[in-house]
Amino acid sequence: MEINCRHFKYLELVLLTFYAVAFYVILIRRSLHLSHEYLVWHGSATPRNFVQGWLWGRPNDLTDSQWRNFRGNLPILTVVMGVFTFVANTLRSSFQLKGRGMSIVWLIISLSYLAYLHGACILFILSIASGNFILVKIFAYSKLFPCILWIYNLSFLICNRIYEGYSFSSIGQNWAILDSYRGTFRWHICYNLVVLRMISFGCDYHWVYRASRIDHKKHTQNCSTCSLGKACYHLLQEKSVPMERFSFVTYLCYLIYAPLYIAGPIASFNAFSSQLDLPQKTHSVKNIICYGVRWVLNLLLMELMTHLFYYNALATSGFWRHSSAFETFVIGYGVLNFMWLKFLLIWRYFRFWALMGGVEAPENMPRCINNCYSLEDFWKGWHSSFNKWLVRYIYIPLGGARRKLLIVWVVFTFVAIWHDLEWKLLSWAWLTCFLWVPEILVKLAMTNIQAKGMFRQLILRELSAMIGAFTITGLMITNLVGYVIGPAGLDWLKSRMLKPDGLPVLGSIYFTFYVGTKIMFHIREAKRKSPNGLIGSERKRNVM
């Protein structure tokens, strides 16, 4: 029976792989055709925010402002990274700097970096941060402290957006001259990450005498990193640091630490301050170099994508409104993959910078977007450090798993407001919650099902694949609404897909995601059976 089961799964994997290859061949051909049509649509003129590319003379799609800015500033960023790392590491080794000494070095260099980015607007950041520090020191032992901390930080988060970072002239005419020195980068955009660090500092200080949520002995036995005498990120985050670490200098250093300032990843105060004495030991020099080489290869992949497939231009220009139902799917699927690769490159660049300076931060993209078939898996693998922050500072304090069905609404509403004050982001957040609630209920029901026997296991596997395909379809629609077409485009999408020519396409999309989910099952099973599968799963469970 076991041999027949293995034979069936092998045959299934062959058929699924054949279908997946055929699907991607069709997808690539159609993407190339759409990109060509887009250039024809624009005529002889080069589309806006396109540049002459270096691959085969094709135009390069730089219509995504975030990617365009990052790519354009990559040379100067790399110079800054080299100078920062060389100076900080040289001073650390020459003077054996630890704790407060290392904080001062990082703080001085980071302030110089911020002065270039924000000019005189650095005063706004320092003023708000100082107010938060005073508030924490005064009210940290009050039962009302969490409410005070959140109200203070959310108020500034919203006001910064409404007033576009304020103006010095609003303070007084004597200050108006400073409006001419606002730097090269809007400070209130970077403030979104600063506010997460200010809340982290306040909560970690508030919890300094609270018992740890993890069993350190059991954790060390099960964690492949800690069992080697090192400390994994999860342990660094959960273990409180001495009170003297909660100084103003260390606090400011944590808020504006240059490698993690612009885009993260987001590290908790406990994890960051515990690495001031000694550089991280989890990743060797060889591993860090390999990490950098992989980043360069990913950059080349992005260059290939933006030269061949103009997904972002097709979406933002409204070209998708003139496309067929299948072509709309191709554009939407391409945009999501473009976004994933864009954020992977940005986040991994700054994490690489932090690792070279001896600070470990969580990996933001630990799993490919095409290897997720549940919302929980997706959000653990997309901006993973933000997910850890949400779990530690919102999800668990509000009740955790006991109130999961209610807390997801609070969490995603905060995520939407944190990103920006836009209705389409709130629509994205609430659509995601609508999808998540059924998934939670289904998972609770399936945990009570005892799948005994090969036939029952097969039925349960098929049901899981069908549910996974439904989740992926819904996830794709919600992200399209949130980041591409907006709430108004949802009606257009429904009208296009529910037409007679759209229903077969919708069915094909669902079946394709069903096939993808089944392939993911095979990948997970192969990893579990591999020699390193158990270690990898244990590490992931402890880090998550």
Side-chain angles (χ1 to χ4, degrees), residues 389-403:
W389 188 95
L390 293 168
V391 169
R392 178 170 171 79
Y393 299 109
I394 299 181
Y395 179 73
I396 292 177
L398 289 181
R402 292 182 290 110
R403 300 174 183 170

Side-chain angles (χ1 to χ4, degrees), residues 27 41 119 124 126 131 133 223 242 252 329 336 352 434 458 506:
L27 183 77
W41 185 49
F124 291 124
L126 295 177
F133 182 82
C223 177
L252 270 187
F329 160 73
L336 292 181
F352 174 68
F434 271 119
L458 181 63
L506 191 60

Side-chain angles (χ1 to χ4, degrees), residues 273-294:
S273 60
S274 62
Q275 299 179 75
L276 289 172
D277 287 337
L278 295 171
Q280 63 83 26
K281 296 181 180 179
T282 307
H283 305 275
S284 65
V285 174
K286 180 182 177 181
N287 288 339
I288 295 173
I289 292 172
C290 289
Y291 190 81
V293 171
R294 288 198 302 271

Side-chain angles (χ1 to χ4, degrees), residues 207-227:
W207 297 334
V208 71
Y209 293 118
R210 187 185 66 175
S212 177
R213 289 197 297 262
I214 64 172
D215 185 331
H216 291 265
K217 185 177 180 180
K218 184 178 179 181
H219 171 84
T220 302
Q221 291 173 346
N222 296 329
C223 177
S224 59
T225 301
C226 296
S227 62

Side-chain angles (χ1 to χ4, degrees), residues 149-409:
L149 180 69
W150 277 93
I151 290 172
Y152 177 87
N153 283 284
L154 284 178
S155 298
F156 275 108
L157 180 67
I158 294 171
C159 289
N160 290 350
R161 287 291 184 171
I162 293 174
Y163 296 103
E164 291 293 323
Y166 317 110
S167 64
F168 286 100
S169 59
S170 62
I171 303 173
Q173 287 304 311
N174 294 333
W175 295 79
I177 191 174
L178 294 179
D179 285 323
S180 302
Y181 304 96
R182 298 186 70 90
T184 60
F185 202 83
R186 293 177 296 171
W187 74 271
H188 56 283
I189 302 299
C190 295
Y191 180 83
N192 283 26
L193 288 171
V194 174
V195 77
L196 299 183
R197 298 186 190 107
M198 291 201 296
I199 292 172
S200 174
F201 173 82
C203 290
D204 286 357
Y205 185 76
H206 180 62
W207 297 334
V208 71
Y209 293 118
R210 187 185 66 175
S212 177
R213 289 197 297 262
I214 64 172
D215 185 331
H216 291 265
K217 185 177 180 180
K218 184 178 179 181
H219 171 84
T220 302
Q221 291 173 346
N222 296 329
C223 177
S224 59
T225 301
C226 296
S227 62
L228 298 175
K230 303 175 182 179
C232 72
Y233 178 83
H234 185 65
L235 184 64
L236 294 176
Q237 175 178 269
E238 295 298 328
K239 188 177 180 181
S240 295
V241 295
M243 284 296 293
E244 57 267 20
R245 285 292 167 84
F246 293 90
S247 66
F248 186 67
V249 172
T250 305
Y251 164 71
L252 270 187
C253 175
Y254 167 62
L255 294 189
I256 64 173
Y257 178 61
L260 304 178
Y261 175 74
I262 291 181
I266 304 155
S268 70
F269 179 80
N270 282 350
F272 177 84
S273 60
S274 62
Q275 299 179 75
L276 289 172
D277 287 337
L278 295 171
Q280 63 83 26
K281 296 181 180 179
T282 307
H283 305 275
S284 65
V285 174
K286 180 182 177 181
N287 288 339
I288 295 173
I289 292 172
C290 289
Y291 190 81
V293 171
R294 288 198 302 271
W295 184 89
V296 172
L297 295 176
N298 286 322
L299 177 63
L300 294 175
L301 178 61
M302 173 61 101
E303 287 294 295
L304 184 66
M305 176 183 283
T306 54
H307 277 77
L308 295 178
F309 311 124
Y310 306 143
Y311 293 127
N312 195 70
L314 290 165
T316 55
S317 66
F319 184 88
W320 54 273
R321 290 184 178 274
H322 310 288
S323 306
S324 66
F326 178 70
E327 288 173 340
T328 304
F329 160 73
V330 170
I331 295 170
Y333 184 75
V335 167
L336 292 181
N337 279 272
F338 166 79
M339 288 173 59
W340 177 82
L341 186 55
K342 174 187 73 171
F343 287 123
L344 177 140
L345 285 164
I346 294 173
W347 286 329
R348 287 193 177 180
Y349 180 88
F350 290 109
R351 182 172 184 257
F352 174 68
W353 182 356
L355 286 171
M356 289 204 303
V359 174
E360 181 181 5
E363 176 63 79
N364 262 342
M365 294 292 201
R367 177 176 290 162
C368 177
I369 188 176
N370 294 304
N371 192 18
C372 301
Y373 55 84
S374 72
L375 285 169
E376 187 173 356
D377 279 351
F378 177 81
W379 289 115
K380 283 183 177 180
W382 181 288
H383 209 167
S384 181
S385 67
F386 192 22
N387 174 73
K388 289 178 173 62
W389 188 95
L390 293 168
V391 169
R392 178 170 171 79
Y393 299 109
I394 299 181
Y395 179 73
I396 292 177
L398 289 181
R402 292 182 290 110
R403 300 174 183 170
K404 194 171 187 177
L405 289 171
L406 295 175
I407 296 173
V408 291
W409 295 88

Side-chain angles (χ1 to χ4, degrees), residues 461-478:
R461 182 185 174 90
E462 291 300 313
L463 285 173
S464 299
M466 292 169 65
I467 293 168
F470 175 79
T471 301
I472 296 170
T473 305
L475 190 61
M476 182 173 172
I477 292 171
T478 55

Side-chain angles (χ1 to χ4, degrees), residues 30 32-42 319 327:
R30 181 57 63 177
L32 289 170
H33 176 72
L34 285 170
S35 299
H36 175 72
E37 282 192 345
Y38 180 79
L39 293 178
V40 173
W41 185 49
H42 270 274
F319 184 88
E327 288 173 340

